[in-house]
């Protein structure tokens, strides 16, 4: 049961009448008893809440930052008209700040025995699964003085997937990939290429490409053509330890790493490579391997949806052992991690020889653009101290990157907006140089 503001207003006016015109018990009874009877009548005439039936439908997944629509089909089986205020409850992160109150509440009027569809629009602000909470209904009587209230459990899950904002760079990177493949198929010969077909000799062709056996079997000179290898392997390793929890702008570093990983996955799979994923801190948090080119990107997106940073130190030895177990053939191993000097020197560097001996290793790190602004700040005393601290942090990151490069590791250190395209360019450069 719930009383409305109208009831409170009438009660307050009644108290004023009693105080001014009818002081005493008789005045109280004369004013409040009719109000009490009206409240009881409203409760009796209000449509029952427990008999209502609900069925959910709508979106089951949505990219971060986009909208999802979930529909409730409300059936009123009673013989009374349902006039109600309905609250479709979801976790707070299902909406942007300030939107929850208006987006989750709906006014409904359903005649006896009829149905009504109620649409709730979600705009999630975090990745992961969003579970629908209870549906609370407040059914008002015809006088609007009192209401029946109850809740129903109507389960539904909306999975919030990574945003993949770097997808806009994919057409340009794919065009560059086609250029590389076209140039390679004509100019690249020898180790690291695959035989494609035979064709007739054209003046200007390299004589080393002549297939003398095929030429002997026919009347024209035949030359071999080559194509790029299509079985290159890439292993993406997401470090989900405490360093990935640091926020750069409005999102944790892990989200920027995921975005860059998705762009690289799309590019490498279009190049015909085999791409696998490993998320690790002290334990394996996600693992995707052996997927076909058309399935790999959706599989990665699903695996990343529920990944969250863990506030623990990374186990570099465990990560190395797990990565080597997954990458049994020579691969490009891309490690998304931080460039904190202590973590690099004490944990990552001792494990690198095992990785660089068998694989090409590339470390991708998310840089904070605010550090550069702070380093250039001048004016107040506080600004000077902040500039000194930012400059020190930048110097430490450069030192850590230099240490990795000395051990044969490629390093990409870029801001969240630049990490994905820079990493894609690094992949294309390795491909052009024949280092994949």
């Amino acid at each position: 049961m719930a009383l409305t503001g109208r009831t409170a207003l009438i009660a307050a006016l009644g108290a004023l009448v009693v105080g001014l015109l009818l002081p005493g018990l008789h005045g109280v009874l004369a004013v409040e008893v009719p109000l009490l009877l009206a409240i009881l009548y409203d409760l009796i005439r209000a449509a029952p809440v427990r008999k209502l039936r609900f069925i959910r439908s709508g979106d089951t997944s949505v990219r971060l930052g986009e909208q999802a629509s979930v529909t409730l089909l409300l059936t009123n089986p009673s013989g009374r008209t349902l006039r109600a205020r309905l609250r479709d409850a979801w976790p707070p992160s299902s909406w942007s700040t300030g939107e929850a109150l208006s987006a989750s509440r709906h006014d409904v009027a359903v005649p006896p025995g009829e149905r009504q569809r109620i649409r709730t629009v979600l705009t999630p602000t975090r990745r992961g699964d969003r579970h629908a909470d209870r549906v609370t209904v407040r059914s008002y009587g015809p006088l609007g003085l009192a209401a029946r209230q109850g809740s129903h459990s109507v389960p539904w899950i909306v999975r919030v997937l990574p945003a993949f904002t770097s997808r806009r760079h994919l057409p340009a990177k794919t065009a560059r990939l086609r250029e590389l493949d076209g140039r390679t198929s004509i100019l690249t010969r020898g180790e690291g290429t695959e035989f494609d077909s035979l064709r007739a000799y054209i003046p200007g062709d390299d004589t080393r490409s002549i297939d003398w056996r095929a030429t002997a079997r026919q009347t024209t000179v035949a030359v071999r053509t080559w194509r790029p290898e299509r079985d290159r392997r890439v292993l993406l390793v997401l470090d989900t330890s405490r360093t990935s929890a640091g926020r750069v702008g409005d999102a944790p570093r892990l989200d920027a790493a995921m975005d860059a990983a998705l762009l690289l996955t799309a590019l490498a799979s279009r190049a015909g490579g085999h791409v696998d994923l490993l998320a690790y801190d002290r334990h394996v948090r996600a693992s995707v391997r052996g997927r076909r080119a058309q399935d790999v990107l959706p599989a990665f997106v699903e695996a990343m949806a529920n990944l969250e940073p863990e506030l623990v130190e990374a186990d570099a030895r465990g990560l190395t052992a797990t990565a080597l177990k997954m990458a049994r053939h020579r691969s490009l191993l891309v490690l998304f991690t931080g460039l904190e000097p202590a973590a690099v020197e004490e944990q990552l560097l001792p494990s690198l020889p095992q990785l660089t001996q068998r694989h090409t290793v590339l470390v991708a790190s998310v840089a904070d653009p605010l550090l550069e602004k702070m380093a250039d700040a001048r004016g107040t005393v506080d600004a000077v101290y902040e500039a000194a601290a930012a400059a020190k942090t930048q110097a430490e990151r450069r030192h850590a990157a230099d240490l990795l490069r000395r051990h044969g590791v490629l390093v990409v250190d870029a801001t969240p907006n630049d990490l994905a395209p820079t990493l894609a360019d690094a992949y294309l450069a390795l491909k052009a140089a024949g280092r994949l």
Side-chain angles (χ1 to χ4, degrees), residues 92 98 118 174 186 214 242 286 329 343 369 381 397:
I118 302 157
T174 304
I186 296 174
R242 64 169 184 83
H329 303 278
V381 175
R397 291 177 64 86

Side-chain angles (χ1 to χ4, degrees), residues 223-396:
V223 296
R224 299 188 186 97
T225 60
W226 307 86
R227 64 183 179 186
E229 294 181 3
R230 307 293 290 177
D231 61 347
R232 295 182 176 91
R233 299 178 182 275
V234 181
L235 175 60
L236 307 181
V237 183
L238 292 172
D239 178 3
T240 56
S241 66
R242 64 169 184 83
T243 57
S244 66
R247 300 188 73 84
V248 178
D250 296 330
R253 281 187 164 90
L254 181 60
D255 283 31
M258 287 180 182
D259 188 55
L262 290 175
L263 180 63
L264 183 56
T265 299
L267 190 62
S269 60
R270 293 191 181 191
H274 301 280
V275 189
D276 296 329
L277 173 70
L278 171 66
Y280 194 95
D281 40 70
R282 303 191 73 84
H283 305 282
V284 176
R285 302 298 176 182
S287 175
V288 180
R289 59 189 304 182
R291 298 300 178 94
R292 296 180 300 175
Q294 60 268 33
D295 299 331
V296 64
L297 193 61
F300 280 21
V301 169
E302 285 289 335
M304 292 176 181
N306 286 314
L307 280 181
E308 295 292 343
E310 301 290 333
L311 299 182
V312 295
E313 293 291 341
D315 177 12
R317 291 185 178 179
L319 186 151
T320 301
T322 306
L324 290 174
K325 188 180 298 183
M326 288 187 64
R328 298 187 180 276
H329 303 278
R330 181 167 182 80
S331 307
L332 170 63
L333 195 154
V334 184
L335 174 59
F336 295 88
T337 188
L339 286 179
E340 284 70 15
V344 170
E345 293 178 15
E346 298 173 11
Q347 300 183 34
L348 188 56
L349 285 182
S351 304
L352 279 179
Q354 301 177 61
L355 296 175
T356 55
Q357 183 178 4
R358 294 176 53 184
H359 306 292
T360 301
V361 181
L362 191 157
V363 170
S365 181
V366 183
D368 191 345
L370 185 60
L371 287 177
E372 186 173 352
K373 294 181 180 179
M374 292 173 61
D376 295 335
R378 296 291 184 271
T380 65
V381 175
D382 290 341
V384 171
Y385 278 109
E386 289 178 355
K392 180 181 178 182
T393 301
Q394 287 181 313
E396 290 174 346

Side-chain angles (χ1 to χ4, degrees), residues 74 82-87 102 104-110 116-118 138 140:
L74 167 60
L82 174 67
R83 303 177 186 87
R85 180 79 163 169
L86 181 146
R87 177 176 180 260
S102 59
S104 62
R105 287 162 171 77
H106 309 273
D107 293 318
V108 297
V110 187
Q116 182 173 329
R117 294 185 182 274
I118 302 157
R138 182 172 290 181
Y140 296 98

Side-chain angles (χ1 to χ4, degrees), residues 184-185 187-196 225-230 232:
T184 304
S185 64
L187 300 181
T188 303
R189 298 175 174 83
E191 185 178 0
T193 62
E194 293 179 352
F195 173 73
D196 185 24
T225 60
W226 307 86
R227 64 183 179 186
E229 294 181 3
R230 307 293 290 177
R232 295 182 176 91

Side-chain angles (χ1 to χ4, degrees), residues 399-410:
H399 174 67
D402 289 340
L403 284 177
L404 292 173
R405 292 188 181 99
R406 291 173 198 165
H407 285 76
V409 176
L410 304 171

